[in-house]
Amino acid sequence: MTEIDHFSSADNICCQLICFGNTGPWQVLPEGEIIGILQKEQGQWTQVYLPEIEETLFREITLAIDRAGFNFLPKELLGRWPKQLREVIMQSDHEYLVVCKAEINFAAFSRIFSTYISGMLQDEWEICLKLFSHGFSMDKTVPAKK
């Protein structure tokens, strides 16, 4: 589950955005009540639950989600290290689980990963990447910041 607190400057409200899974949909909850569910399919954001969210707030929220890079970092990591990584799971906007493939040298790869990960980040805040060996027998926590 991923949670984001979004402060709308236009509407002066605070919304909690929640995504169960890696690709959406995103639930929009000001004051704990769902006012909308948003989904991005084929590059287009749509509202899949009524009542509809006001257009300005809709644009702000979808832009905030896009800028946060939630859809990008797992793909970026898997694209950069396809032979080494099996899976990247987003836990939140500041925590990712990264699982290696069986045939790699975990110690060597974790050093390489730790060295180059900061250059791949788009987020301005520090994130924590938990790197695991294929069988979860070894792990390393890698804090990183752009």
Side-chain angles (χ1 to χ4, degrees), residues 17-62:
L17 310 175
I18 299 175
C19 177
F20 297 97
N22 289 336
T23 59
W26 288 86
Q27 297 180 9
V28 181
L29 298 100
E31 300 178 14
E33 185 177 327
I34 296 176
I35 64 165
I37 298 177
L38 311 177
Q39 177 75 41
K40 189 171 190 176
E41 294 175 343
Q42 300 174 346
Q44 284 293 115
W45 282 101
T46 57
Q47 295 186 51
V48 295
Y49 176 79
L50 297 175
E52 290 192 14
I53 298 169
E54 191 271 326
E55 184 64 30
T56 303
L57 181 59
F58 174 82
R59 281 194 309 265
E60 273 188 19
I61 290 170
T62 56

Side-chain angles (χ1 to χ4, degrees), residues 3 6 10 14 29 43 58 66 68-69 88 90 116-117 119 127 133:
E3 293 183 44
H6 174 73
C14 176
L29 298 100
F58 174 82
D66 284 340
V88 178
M90 179 179 59
Y116 292 101
I117 188 62
I127 65 169
S133 64

Side-chain angles (χ1 to χ4, degrees), residues 71-90:
N71 300 324
F72 301 111
L73 188 57
K75 291 176 187 173
E76 288 274 328
L77 295 175
L78 291 168
R80 171 65 180 92
W81 290 295
K83 294 179 182 177
Q84 294 84 6
L85 298 180
R86 184 181 80 193
E87 188 173 18
V88 178
I89 303 166
M90 179 179 59

Side-chain angles (χ1 to χ4, degrees), residues 1 22 73-74 77-78 85-92 94-100 113 127-133 136 139-142:
M1 177 176 83
N22 289 336
L73 188 57
L77 295 175
L78 291 168
L85 298 180
R86 184 181 80 193
E87 188 173 18
V88 178
I89 303 166
M90 179 179 59
Q91 294 291 109
S92 70
H94 60 275
E95 184 176 84
Y96 293 80
L97 305 180
V98 182
V99 182
C100 296
F113 184 84
I127 65 169
C128 177
L129 297 116
K130 295 181 180 178
L131 187 63
F132 293 94
S133 64
F136 295 92
D139 64 84
K140 180 177 182 176
T141 300
V142 180

Side-chain angles (χ1 to χ4, degrees), residues 111-137:
R111 284 191 301 273
I112 293 167
F113 184 84
S114 298
T115 302
Y116 292 101
I117 188 62
S118 292
M120 297 179 71
L121 300 179
Q122 297 176 4
D123 302 325
E124 296 297 326
W125 57 86
E126 182 175 270
I127 65 169
C128 177
L129 297 116
K130 295 181 180 178
L131 187 63
F132 293 94
S133 64
H134 174 72
F136 295 92
S137 59

